[in-house]
């Protein structure tokens, strides 16, 4: 009896780690078999190519690595994590909650492609590569922590303030990049029927607890099916 794979997706600083932790802890507390994972798996050697890419070893401009090559780096990291850490748990009926997954890969690489038809070809290729050819599990549910662009800009400005303007990786956080990400998240959510949770009211983030209640109730419906 295969269990459930649930993805917590969202832009930088949207609360993925926070919500993944709260959801995992609550479901575990209820006595369910639940584990969480996060991607990229920076603690594992399998993320070496992802680290080189984000560090700019293949070029400081993210566009200097084509989406197909970059996707391969991330896919092998997910494959290694799945094979060594959570495949058996999932196949035995456990619930796995993932902070990012193929879904983040889709987002950050598709925005390198302007032409809509070429974008579709890329997304179809990635789906086939990961879920058919590599045999990674298709998520049962993707929850998008939806933060409006204006609020994301505030969060990023606060973060830049803390780090002196350094985000540390080549996916730079400028305004046009964030706008592209938001548009791409909208497209992906529609195309793949993701569950969207509005994380802000106007220009303010909702509380961590309120967002958690929404996440929990959506997940409970899936687990009770
Ligand atoms: N609803 C919220 N309101 C205000 N602050 C929040 C909320 N959710 C999370 N935070 C805070 O925002 C910061 C980023 O949260 P978190 O690490 O969970 O997000 P993330 O999506 O995993 O971020 P990253 O993109 O950096 O991985 C943390 O300091 C966290 O405590
Ligand atoms: Mg995080």
């Amino acid at each position: 009896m295969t269990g459930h794979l649930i993805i917590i997706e969202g832009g930088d600083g949207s609360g993925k780690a926070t919500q993944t932790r709260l959801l995992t802890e609550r479901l575990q507390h209820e006595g369910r078999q639940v584990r969480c994972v996060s991607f990229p798996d920076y603690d594992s050697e399998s993320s070496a190519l992802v680290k080189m890419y984000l560090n700019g070893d293949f070029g400081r401009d993210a566009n200097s690595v084509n989406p197909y090559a970059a996707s391969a780096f991330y896919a092998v990291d997910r494959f290694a994590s799945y094979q060594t850490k959570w495949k058996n748990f999932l196949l035995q009926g456990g619930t796995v909650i993932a902070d990012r997954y193929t879904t983040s890969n889709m987002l950050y690489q598709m925005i390198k492609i302007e032409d809509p038809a070429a974008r579709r070809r890329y997304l179809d290729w990635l789906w086939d590569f990961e879920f058919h050819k590599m045999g990674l599990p298709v998520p049962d549910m993707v929850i998008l922590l939806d933060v409006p662009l204006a609020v994301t800009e505030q969060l990023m400005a606060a973060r830049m303030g803390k780090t002196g303007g350094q985000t540390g990786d080549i996916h730079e956080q400028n305004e046009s990049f964030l706008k592209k990400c938001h548009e791409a998240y909208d497209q992906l959510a529609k195309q793949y029927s993701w569950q969207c949770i509005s994380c802000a009211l106007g220009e303010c983030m909702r509380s961590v607890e309120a967002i958690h209640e929404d996440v929990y109730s959506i997940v409970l419906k899936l687990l009770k099916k």
Side-chain angles (χ1 to χ4, degrees):
M1 185 200 83
T2 304
H4 293 94
L5 173 61
I6 298 164
I7 314 304
I8 306 292
E9 186 53 62
D12 286 338
S14 57
K16 298 179 295 297
T18 306
Q19 295 302 330
T20 299
R21 180 178 54 77
L22 287 176
L23 179 64
T24 304
E25 286 172 0
R26 182 154 173 189
L27 294 174
Q28 283 174 342
H29 192 70
E30 292 174 350
R32 297 173 193 271
Q33 291 298 309
V34 181
R35 287 181 54 179
C36 62
V37 290
S38 90
F39 295 100
D41 189 359
Y42 288 120
D43 293 336
S44 164
E45 288 178 354
S46 61
S47 65
L49 272 294
V50 171
K51 285 180 188 159
M52 290 174 76
Y53 164 67
L54 292 176
N55 190 41
D57 291 7
F58 308 125
R60 283 303 303 169
D61 178 357
N63 288 303
S64 55
V65 179
N66 83 63
Y68 292 87
S71 297
F73 305 157
Y74 285 91
V76 293
D77 177 50
R78 282 186 283 277
F79 180 83
S81 166
Y82 175 60
Q83 285 292 334
T84 63
K85 297 183 179 169
W86 49 280
K87 181 178 180 178
N88 291 340
F89 181 77
L90 185 71
L91 293 180
Q92 286 161 15
T95 296
V96 177
I97 321 256
D99 172 349
R100 295 194 183 277
Y101 193 57
T102 313
T103 45
S104 289
N105 190 149
M106 287 170 166
L107 178 95
Y108 289 110
Q109 301 307 321
M110 76 188 256
I111 60 174
K112 294 178 179 175
I113 306 169
E114 298 283 345
D115 176 51
R119 249 191 198 194
R120 263 197 308 280
R121 280 198 300 278
Y122 162 72
L123 288 173
D124 290 347
W125 169 83
L126 184 63
W127 188 280
D128 182 56
F129 180 53
E130 293 218 7
F131 302 136
H132 297 149
K133 303 289 195 306
M134 293 187 85
L136 284 160
V138 176
D140 295 285
M141 176 178 273
V142 178
I143 298 175
L144 176 64
L145 301 178
D146 189 17
V147 179
L149 186 57
V151 179
T152 303
E153 281 168 4
Q154 284 173 25
L155 292 174
M156 288 303 114
R159 185 183 285 193
M160 301 278 252
K162 275 188 216 152
T163 60
Q166 295 297 311
T167 58
D169 77 47
I170 59 170
H171 290 147
E172 53 177 334
Q173 306 299 326
N174 63 37
E175 210 177 310
S176 75
F177 176 82
L178 292 177
K179 188 160 176 285
K180 266 191 196 174
C181 289
H182 273 73
E183 287 165 1
Y185 268 134
D186 284 347
Q187 182 192 328
L188 290 172
K190 285 197 190 86
Q191 185 170 341
Y192 296 105
S193 303
W194 293 356
Q195 302 284 330
C196 295
I197 294 185
S198 299
C199 294
L201 279 174
E203 301 234 326
C204 293
M205 285 295 279
R206 295 169 63 211
S207 74
V208 167
E209 295 74 23
I211 297 167
H212 167 66
E213 286 304 323
D214 286 358
V215 172
Y216 174 73
S217 68
I218 292 176
V219 167
L220 213 55
K221 280 186 205 142
L222 174 75
L223 298 183
K224 279 183 174 168
K225 266 185 196 164

